Amino acid sequence: MTISTNPHDDDKFHEECGVFGVWNHADAAALVALGLHALQHRGQEASGIVSLSEGGVFHTHRGLGLVGDIFGDAKVMAGLKGRAACGHNRYATTGETALRNVQPLYADFEFGGFAVGHNGNLTNAQGLRRALVKRGCLFQSSTDSEVFIHLIAISLYTNVIDRLIDALKQVQGAYSLVALHDGALIGARDPLGVRPLVLGSMPNLGGQSSWILASETCALDIVGAEFVRDIEPGELVVIDATGLKSIKPFAQTASRFCIFEYIYFARPDSVVEGTGVYESRKLIGAELARESHVAADVVVPVPDSGVPAAMGYARECGVPFELGIIRNHYVGRTFIEPTDQIRHLGVKLKHSANRAMLEGKRVVLVDDSIVRGTTSKKIVEMVRQAGAAEVHMRISSPPTTHSCFYGIDTPSRRQLIAAQHSIEEMAKLIGVDSLAFISLEGLYRALGQNGRNADKPQFCDACFTGDYAIPLTDWPAEQAHAATPELLPGQ
Ligand code: SF4
């Protein structure tokens, strides 16, 4: 048996990608590397940077691994010349993890070079790809994002921006793009704005502004850029020598930002869609406490992502917040072949019980989500072995009953414990004395809404509801399943 010590193999949904772009800065590629480093939580398998120097010359470096390993070499950075650059972090979901799938993707067109990095997932890419291959397009990768390149190539428009808009009008799904061509940095968000994208600026030595595009504001902070605004759903921004131009090529529609960004994906120090993520998580924790209070001696977060919700929970119910589980931050991405005696080592490599905080106590464990339930079960076991008198688990998201098709790495419904079992059954399987999730209504309330507007939900919440706002054209069976609220166990 093999145990993964990959810190990201933690039974969580995973964000697939982060994007970052710079226009008009002498250290453009270095800023992109820093930005990608701040966005490492959005993708840990591969990264790439494409830069643009005088005369429309593009420079590219891509690699498998973490940003620091790929761009830590001064020679690599020296090769990424120019005053504009874009970059991408990848967590593979479509296409195997191979160098040819690492973004930004780059192609030479008759109008010059064009690079694009994509955060999100297209839901009609397979159909588009089949049609494009029939027309003679030669795909170089297996990632869904490559359809952008071919749709631009075959577009009959002459202007590169018109060609990109032509391509965007043919794709379905979630996308936040950062693209670069000889003459402009471009940002684009899908009409529902499912994935985030923000605009920042910073003064440069020439007294002009440098412009930044990034998945999250935490990446603006690291380079010292000011947050300007969110790119709006359905908006393209074109940043060139004349300044910034906003184009809105789609009919306006109600946005459906991913609600899971608030719960887990975004970094806590980011501000998404005008709301601070850290504070949102504390408010969600407080709402969870109001909904599912239980008598306890101590509130313990499952680190690190459960920490702000646990703080909010503890403050709301007046029970001490303690770090009863300590996370080891130095677990590498190696694999070991354990014997039976060390079979349970996996979880202990990442988490240790802080016995002094747990022994003899009634413990409320707060986590952000349960996906398969495998890690939760091991953590509960560990807390009990450390002497906890009772273990109650509280989850700061509703039960995840459906897969995500919009840019998040998720198992199929068959593997989602909440799609297969009732809450009582899950409590037994995980081994807790009680288990409760925040309600969907409670989650919306914590995010400042008057509950969920059933006719026009304010967020994408499909992984809790099966309400897929963008058609799952490549997965018609999944769309049909979504209409069935519950799968029977074993189905
Ligand atoms: Fe986010 Fe869930 Fe919607 Fe995916 S399905 S975009 S994870 S809310």
Side-chain angles (χ1 to χ4, degrees):
M1 183 187 174
T2 302
I3 285 181
S4 162
T5 63
N6 179 340
H8 310 294
D9 181 14
D10 53 5
D11 196 30
K12 298 280 183 203
F13 278 17
H14 283 287
E15 188 57 77
E16 283 175 16
C17 302
V19 290
F20 194 89
V22 173
W23 180 259
N24 191 29
H25 196 285
D27 296 317
L31 294 187
V32 173
L34 283 172
L36 292 179
H37 184 71
L39 296 172
Q40 190 76 85
H41 60 291
R42 299 184 77 87
Q44 301 86 32
E45 297 197 350
S47 289
I49 296 178
V50 176
S51 70
L52 167 67
S53 62
E54 289 288 312
V57 181
F58 285 83
H59 312 269
T60 303
H61 186 78
R62 301 187 188 91
L64 302 178
L66 298 174
V67 176
D69 300 329
I70 301 164
F71 297 107
D73 181 341
K75 270 197 221 139
V76 166
M77 293 312 297
L80 292 166
K81 299 183 182 73
R83 296 184 65 83
C86 65
H88 185 267
N89 281 343
R90 174 178 169 77
Y91 184 96
T93 50
T94 59
E96 74 277 19
T97 307
L99 211 45
R100 68 198 178 108
N101 283 340
V102 180
Q103 301 189 27
L105 300 174
Y106 174 83
D108 281 311
F109 296 93
E110 72 233 50
F111 57 77
F114 183 89
V116 61
H118 169 206
N119 174 206
N121 196 49
L122 303 181
T123 55
N124 66 341
Q126 290 169 32
L128 284 172
R129 187 184 178 106
R130 279 193 298 274
L132 287 161
V133 167
K134 266 192 195 154
R135 291 186 61 166
C137 295
L138 301 172
F139 277 76
Q140 303 291 312
S141 75
S142 52
T143 164
D144 62 329
S145 315
E146 196 181 339
V147 299
F148 289 116
I149 296 286
H150 295 284
L151 290 172
I152 291 168
I154 62 166
S155 174
L156 298 176
Y157 289 93
T158 49
N159 175 299
V160 56
I161 302 300
D162 291 336
R163 284 180 175 217
L164 175 59
I165 292 169
D166 192 24
L168 297 182
K169 286 190 169 171
Q170 295 173 69
V171 302
Q172 295 171 340
Y175 55 82
S176 282
L177 302 181
V178 172
L180 186 64
H181 80 94
D182 181 15
L185 177 74
I186 305 158
R189 252 179 115 189
D190 65 75
L192 299 191
V194 176
R195 306 255 69 87
L197 188 64
V198 298
L199 176 71
S201 76
M202 58 199 291
N204 64 33
L205 287 179
Q208 297 169 315
S209 282
S210 301
W211 293 99
I212 314 283
L213 291 166
S215 292
E216 291 182 36
T217 60
C218 65
L220 300 181
D221 296 337
I222 198 171
V223 298
E226 296 254 315
F227 169 73
V228 176
R229 64 176 176 88
D230 290 291
I231 305 302
E232 290 176 32
E235 181 186 17
L236 254 88
V237 291
V238 180
I239 301 163
D240 61 19
T242 64
L244 183 143
K245 190 164 58 179
S246 165
I247 304 171
K248 296 193 177 150
F250 301 101
Q252 235 188 339
T253 164
S255 66
R256 298 288 294 270
F257 184 67
C258 168
I259 204 165
F260 229 131
E261 292 278 353
Y262 292 105
I263 298 164
Y264 171 67
F265 302 139
R267 226 170 74 166
D269 53 334
S270 282
V271 175
V272 293
E273 300 283 297
T275 306
V277 172
Y278 181 77
E279 194 52 33
S280 297
R281 287 180 189 165
K282 289 207 316 197
L283 292 171
I284 294 169
E287 182 70 32
L288 179 63
R290 286 190 287 275
E291 285 190 351
S292 58
H293 177 76
V294 61
D297 303 309
V298 67
V299 174
V300 169
V302 177
D304 287 331
S305 52
V307 171
M311 290 169 77
Y313 187 104
R315 189 171 59 186
E316 181 64 24
C317 60
V319 172
F321 167 95
E322 298 290 357
L323 297 179
I325 300 171
I326 306 300
R327 183 173 155 201
N328 183 345
H329 290 263
Y330 304 100
V331 180
R333 291 167 68 84
T334 52
F335 290 81
I336 56 172
E337 294 287 342
T339 60
D340 273 355
Q341 290 96 309
I342 56 168
R343 211 157 58 83
H344 295 298
L345 210 56
V347 73
K348 288 189 178 165
L349 286 173
K350 296 173 204 163
H351 297 112
S352 316
N354 185 0
R355 181 174 280 273
M357 290 299 119
L358 300 169
E359 199 160 21
K361 307 261 176 65
R362 296 168 299 168
V363 176
V364 175
L365 273 181
V366 179
D367 203 353
D368 52 75
S369 56
I370 301 181
V371 179
R372 294 183 183 85
T374 46
T375 298
S376 308
K377 185 173 190 291
K378 288 175 190 164
I379 285 177
V380 170
E381 250 171 48
M382 194 173 72
V383 170
R384 286 207 190 275
Q385 278 167 11
E390 292 173 22
V391 184
H392 304 275
M393 193 159 228
R394 296 293 178 266
I395 305 295
S396 64
S397 63
T400 43
T401 50
H402 291 73
S403 306
C404 175
F405 297 88
Y406 304 144
I408 301 300
D409 180 45
T410 55
S412 77
R413 284 194 80 193
R414 277 167 223 290
Q415 294 169 292
L416 294 175
I417 188 171
Q420 303 291 337
H421 296 283
S422 67
I423 292 178
E424 293 70 34
E425 288 169 342
M426 280 191 267
K428 267 196 201 134
L429 287 168
I430 291 166
V432 286
D433 296 291
S434 78
L435 171 67
F437 295 76
I438 193 168
S439 68
L440 191 63
E441 287 295 312
L443 176 60
Y444 271 77
R445 272 197 303 275
L447 294 175
Q449 308 287 331
N450 270 338
R452 182 181 193 261
N453 180 340
D455 297 327
K456 263 193 199 167
Q458 302 90 321
F459 296 103
C460 176
D461 52 24
C463 47
F464 310 128
T465 59
D467 174 11
Y468 292 103
I470 307 171
L472 306 180
T473 306
D474 288 335
W475 296 275
E478 295 289 345
Q479 185 87 62
H481 266 310
T484 318
E486 298 291 336
L487 280 181
L488 294 172
Q491 194 178 352

